[in-house]
Amino acid sequence: MTDTAATPSPSPSPFRHRPALAELNALSADTAIATLGIVFTELGPDYLRGTMPVDARTHQPYGLLHGGASVLLAETLGSSAGNLSVPEGKLCVGIEINANHVRAARHGTVTGTARPLHVGASTQVWEIRIEDERGRLVCVSRLTLAVVARPPG
């Protein structure tokens, strides 16, 4: 007897727009994103990745990566990925984010990767995993976005 079950095909890419990383990074000029040193590093078939330094800009008073900085990285990656996944005339805005901080980071660079859990016509849900330079999970976050009409102009 042979197995006739079809092999599941990979999920189609959620991205409708695939700008160059330089274009994504240029949009961050003069924002909190640039101030914290966040850089988009990779746009894969179903993910957006970026890095953030763990230094004086992102430390809390005890020398650890500030949880708020991790959340800013997570929302930056998830919102940016979401906005690459909407049709013309639409825009994503954050409506809820949560984060679990599971490991401290004191120095180096953390890398966040946003992947879709749900990309719908009115809402999107993205999971963002932030890891240290050794690939250890530092923070995991879930971001819910509303898809709205882009204002004119």
Side-chain angles (χ1 to χ4, degrees), residues 9-76:
S9 61
S11 301
S13 175
F15 302 124
R16 294 172 183 255
H17 318 284
R18 298 191 67 85
L21 291 173
E23 184 180 338
L24 280 177
N25 286 309
L27 292 172
S28 302
D30 299 321
T31 68
I33 298 164
T35 300
L36 293 188
I38 295 170
V39 176
F40 296 103
T41 59
E42 187 177 356
L43 179 59
D46 68 343
Y47 64 89
L48 179 60
R49 185 168 288 145
T51 59
M52 181 176 70
V54 181
D55 61 18
R57 294 172 288 181
T58 58
H59 279 160
Q60 41 93 311
Y62 304 106
L64 303 173
L65 176 61
H66 195 293
S70 293
V71 172
L72 197 138
L73 173 60
E75 183 141 8
T76 296

Side-chain angles (χ1 to χ4, degrees), residues 15-16 24 30-33 42-44 48 55 75 85-86 92-93 97 100 107 110 122 125 129 142:
F15 302 124
R16 294 172 183 255
L24 280 177
D30 299 321
T31 68
I33 298 164
E42 187 177 356
L43 179 59
L48 179 60
D55 61 18
E75 183 141 8
S85 303
V86 294
C92 283
V93 294
I97 189 166
N100 295 103
H107 52 79
V110 290
S122 61
V125 180
R129 295 177 59 89
R142 188 178 61 238

